[in-house]
Amino acid sequence: MNAVSRGLSRRLMLSRSAAVVGASSAGLLLPEIVRAQGSKLRVGFMLPYTGTFAQLGVAIENGVRMAIAEKGGKLGGREIEWFKVDDESEPSKGVENAQKLVQRDKVDVLIGTVHSGVQMGIQRVARESGVLNIIPNAGVLAATRGLCAPNVFRTSFSNSQPTMGLGKPMMDKGLKKAVWITWKYAAGDEAFEGFKESYTKAGGTIIKELGLPFPNVEFQALLTEIASLKPDAVACFFAGAGAAKFMKDYAAAGLQGKIPLYGSGFLTEGVLQAAGPAAEGVYSALHYADSLDTPRNKQFRTAYAGQFKLQPDVYAVQGYDSGQLLVQGLGAVGGDMSNKAALYKALETAVIDSPRGKWTMSKAHNPVQDIYLRVVEKGDNKVVGVAAKALADSGAGCKLG
């Protein structure tokens, strides 16, 4: 745990010693808890604070707290009591951990999470209990499609949104035949949906789909196959350490500079140092870039670095926007969580002045936002332009609105 995590842990109110209600407990429905509006608003973080995604959890929490602190440290005039559960990025504990916050700590708002598998547990608890859930990262399509709910709002992206921004820029460069490669799991499949829709709509042809089990990083045989296929370009979805290794192996196979490489923005997000020269020239699409040259982004980055002694990333931005959304929603109802119709209306109609650019909420409660095309130059994701303007996820299967 780093110094920032330890500091946050000390400042947070930790779980009380009430008995844990296990996932096997009968029923999730709870009687409506009525508290005076003068009482503290109970906000719970269910994020990864240990393991691979720990730094993401810290960045999100930092962003939430920063946004609320900028507006006086209250939500709708109410002071805040904070709670925290480490979700360990463990889907099998998703329901149990969400219940800790909802049933034991009786939070009014549940902010979580990063891992899409864990989000499905939160989704179940949120839908059955009615607790307000703000999703600051997990891109699983079902959360704002078939399993959408009036009390669940996402401030990040759907898994298909970033790759929806790849099709037109690739075709504009005359890259008419592409190979797709990813890990074969839900996030990879959902990212492929966005790429396939945008690329084929723009006139491109996907000549081969390649995949390997998650989190396998033995890419050599597939890279040999790509070389033999001789596509105009390769498009992919990888993230984290696996993304860095893929780019290094791609370069080592002699493909860098010969067959252009494109990907969801998470291909190059947070791994440029690890990938080194192998990342140079790689294109990606994402709803944010550190180098966005706007006064709003510069102001945010300066303030965040000054407060936390860390450089913000896309996860910090998503946390910050989660805080901004709560400030607007609770402000509209004067902190009255019982006025659900007005609260949800305020959240649905909010315009978020984000470091990524202003965005609004879709009818299915997913951001309608610009997707930026970036290229790695000298170890930085340089913004080339807007790949897709005000892009909305389809919301297919969502019955809201």
Side-chain angles (χ1 to χ4, degrees):
M1 182 180 287
N2 61 29
V4 175
S5 309
R6 290 196 297 270
L8 287 169
S9 297
R10 286 194 296 270
R11 292 197 298 272
L12 286 166
M13 174 172 182
L14 298 177
S15 301
R16 298 172 300 171
S17 57
V20 173
V21 181
S24 61
S25 298
L28 292 171
L29 291 173
L30 301 173
E32 186 73 23
I33 299 162
V34 180
R35 284 188 288 272
Q37 292 309 302
S39 66
K40 290 184 178 180
L41 194 75
R42 303 164 80 89
V43 177
F45 289 109
M46 181 168 154
L47 295 166
Y49 292 107
T50 55
T52 302
F53 294 147
Q55 67 185 48
L56 281 60
V58 171
I60 288 167
E61 183 175 330
N62 285 348
V64 171
R65 287 173 164 272
M66 178 176 162
I68 295 172
E70 286 179 351
K71 299 299 181 181
K74 296 182 179 181
L75 287 171
R78 296 173 66 181
E79 293 186 359
I80 302 168
E81 191 170 7
W82 302 96
F83 298 82
K84 182 163 83 168
V85 166
D86 178 5
D87 70 27
E88 306 172 63
S89 297
E90 178 49 67
S92 68
K93 298 180 181 179
V95 170
E96 177 185 352
N97 281 327
Q99 285 178 323
K100 289 178 184 178
L101 289 167
V102 174
Q103 294 190 348
R104 182 189 65 190
D105 298 327
K106 298 179 173 58
V107 297
D108 299 293
V109 182
L110 193 165
I111 300 173
T113 190
V114 168
H115 190 294
S116 286
V118 178
Q119 178 57 38
M120 296 313 292
I122 294 177
Q123 200 83 7
R124 176 185 161 192
V125 173
R127 282 166 59 89
E128 295 191 29
S129 69
V131 70
L132 177 62
N133 174 214
I134 307 296
I135 307 172
N137 186 74
V140 58
L141 297 183
T144 53
R145 290 193 184 181
L147 293 178
C148 68
N151 55 308
V152 176
F153 294 81
R154 181 152 48 201
T155 59
S156 52
F157 58 93
S158 73
N159 280 336
S160 66
Q161 266 185 310
T163 44
M164 283 281 289
L166 291 176
K168 187 176 185 301
M170 289 174 68
M171 286 300 294
D172 286 349
K173 288 202 169 190
L175 305 173
K176 299 178 181 179
K177 297 186 300 179
V179 168
W180 170 264
I181 181 170
T182 188
W183 283 311
K184 294 302 293 179
Y185 73 138
D189 292 342
E190 292 180 349
F192 177 60
E193 177 193 296
F195 174 68
K196 182 179 181 180
E197 180 178 336
S198 66
Y199 189 59
T200 56
K201 184 178 179 181
T205 301
I206 300 168
I207 60 174
K208 188 83 172 186
E209 297 170 40
L210 298 174
L212 69 170
F214 176 82
N216 190 312
V217 292
E218 299 304 320
F219 300 114
Q220 192 55 53
L222 296 175
L223 292 171
T224 299
E225 185 173 358
I226 288 171
S228 69
L229 289 167
K230 298 179 180 178
D232 296 330
V234 171
C236 68
F237 174 85
F238 293 108
K245 186 174 188 300
F246 178 74
M247 288 187 283
K248 291 170 83 169
D249 287 359
Y250 194 89
L255 301 179
Q256 185 183 26
K258 292 183 180 179
I259 302 176
L261 179 59
Y262 286 73
S264 164
F266 297 105
L267 176 67
T268 60
E269 198 69 18
V271 300
L272 291 179
Q273 185 173 353
E280 289 294 307
V282 173
Y283 284 87
S284 65
L286 198 64
H287 52 289
Y288 179 68
D290 296 352
S291 61
L292 273 177
D293 188 15
T294 64
R296 182 71 175 101
N297 187 45
K298 290 177 180 177
Q299 177 271 325
F300 165 76
R301 296 190 67 81
T302 300
Y304 187 98
Q307 185 169 343
F308 300 108
K309 312 307 176 191
L310 294 167
Q311 288 300 314
D313 55 16
V314 67
Y315 306 104
V317 171
Q318 291 167 178
Y320 184 75
D321 289 354
S322 297
Q324 290 202 94
L325 182 66
L326 285 172
V327 166
Q328 288 198 34
L330 272 297
V333 296
D336 183 1
M337 292 292 297
S338 67
N339 191 356
K340 291 185 176 181
L343 173 60
Y344 298 161
K345 182 70 173 177
L347 296 172
E348 289 167 348
T349 58
V351 177
I352 303 300
D353 185 13
S354 171
R356 71 182 100 165
K358 289 185 179 180
W359 60 268
T360 58
M361 196 68 76
S362 75
K363 289 183 178 180
H365 299 173
N366 192 74
V368 179
Q369 59 192 331
D370 293 345
I371 304 295
Y372 301 97
L373 184 68
R374 304 109 50 94
V375 64
V376 179
E377 286 187 1
K378 299 178 180 178
D380 184 35
N381 282 307
K382 178 184 176 183
V383 176
V384 178
V386 177
K389 188 74 178 172
L391 182 67
D393 183 83
S394 71
C398 179
K399 304 302 182 183
L400 300 178

